[in-house]
Amino acid sequence: NAGVTQTPKFQVLKTGQSMTLQCAQDMNHEYMSWYRQDPGMGLRLIHYSVGAGITDQGEVPNGYNVSRSTTEDFPLRLLSAAPSQTSVYFCASSSAGGSDEQYFGPGTRLTVT
Amino acid sequence: GENVEQHPSTLSVQEGDSAVIKCTYSDSASNYFPWYKQELGKGPQLIIDIRSNVGEKKDQRIAVTLNKTAKHFSLHITETQPEDSAVYFCAASNSWGKLQFGAGTQVVVTP
């Protein structure tokens, strides 16, 4: 099992550009989520999904879109990148939402200039 | 919503000594309290968790205690080793709820 995979590992964007961060898991987990990690602020939930076709907002959803067309994939879209979105992004999956072990991907380091 | 506070933000310990990290939470409905370890350049990994029906849990050199009345829980690492150097996060959630993470503790174990 590959677990949770994320691409790309690094990305530099100019302000206003759009891009999609990819996330896939091969553990047949229903629950998937996206976090951003900023120094001194821990991990903050952006969006999450409890199953294919179902998504919801987390703590910091503004500027991001998600969709969940399959159990395996949960892409995160930045519509118009801003310097405030410079961060490390982690995708995670679990079998039972927030009350069970989260399996994290290796992260994507995004810089917006 | 849930708010989790974590202290200290940095912790330097001598190899072989113990390390303690403390967290408090605000939502009395929270019933699941995991601890994650993040090594440099990697995603967080679960090291131990505790549910609200248990007061203490141990796994080799790692233990977690939970005080539901005071709404705080702690991570204890005994006989620290250099490989324990990492960032540690506490978190809290209720059933099928969203995990709320603390801000993290950078632990440095010096030989």
Side-chain angles (χ1 to χ4, degrees):
Chain A
N1 282 359
V4 179
T5 58
Q6 290 183 240
T7 56
K9 286 194 187 324
F10 302 95
Q11 182 71 48
V12 178
L13 289 178
K14 293 190 189 310
T15 297
Q17 287 184 318
S18 62
M19 79 159 295
T20 299
L21 279 62
Q22 301 292 345
C23 173
Q25 53 93 7
D26 61 1
M27 296 173 281
N28 203 32
H29 286 164
E30 290 294 329
Y31 186 91
M32 295 185 74
S33 52
W34 277 101
Y35 293 88
R36 60 176 289 172
Q37 184 176 27
D38 302 294
M41 302 189 74
L43 293 135
R44 291 183 292 167
L45 183 66
I46 304 171
H47 284 286
Y48 67 99
S49 168
V50 298
I54 306 168
T55 63
D56 205 349
Q57 296 181 350
E59 183 184 354
V60 288
N62 292 343
Y64 308 94
N65 269 3
V66 291
S67 60
R68 185 97 180 269
S69 55
T70 67
T71 300
E72 294 78 19
D73 301 298
F74 191 43
L76 178 73
R77 279 182 286 278
L78 280 71
L79 308 171
S80 178
S84 60
Q85 293 179 304
T86 293
S87 188
V88 181
Y89 291 85
F90 289 99
C91 178
S93 73
S94 81
S95 58
S99 61
D100 203 357
E101 179 174 2
Q102 305 294 305
Y103 292 84
F104 284 88
T108 294
R109 184 174 291 275
L110 176 68
T111 302
V112 183
T113 62
Chain B
E2 176 65 274
N3 183 47
V4 177
E5 294 194 359
Q6 182 172 347
H7 300 281
S9 56
T10 59
L11 181 59
S12 185
V13 296
Q14 286 279 107
E15 183 177 354
D17 287 350
S18 294
V20 180
I21 304 170
K22 299 184 179 183
C23 289
T24 59
Y25 62 99
S26 60
D27 187 353
S28 57
S30 290
N31 57 13
Y32 176 64
F33 307 92
W35 286 88
Y36 285 82
K37 176 182 180 183
Q38 185 179 27
E39 296 176 346
L40 196 61
K42 297 185 178 180
Q45 190 167 13
L46 181 73
I47 54 171
I48 194 166
D49 57 12
I50 191 167
R51 299 189 187 271
S52 58
N53 57 348
V54 175
E56 184 176 355
K57 186 175 178 181
K58 260 184 123 171
D59 183 2
Q60 298 182 355
R61 297 185 297 107
I62 293 173
V64 57
T65 58
L66 172 65
N67 183 327
K68 285 170 52 182
T69 304
K71 292 185 197 162
H72 65 69
F73 56 114
S74 301
L75 178 72
H76 304 253
I77 306 173
T78 59
E79 300 170 25
T80 52
Q81 300 167 6
E83 53 264 37
D84 294 327
S85 295
V87 179
Y88 292 81
F89 293 98
C90 64
S93 80
N94 51 30
S95 300
W96 273 92
K98 306 165 200 175
L99 264 181
Q100 184 71 39
F101 283 86
T105 297
Q106 173 77 60
V107 173
V108 177
V109 180
T110 52

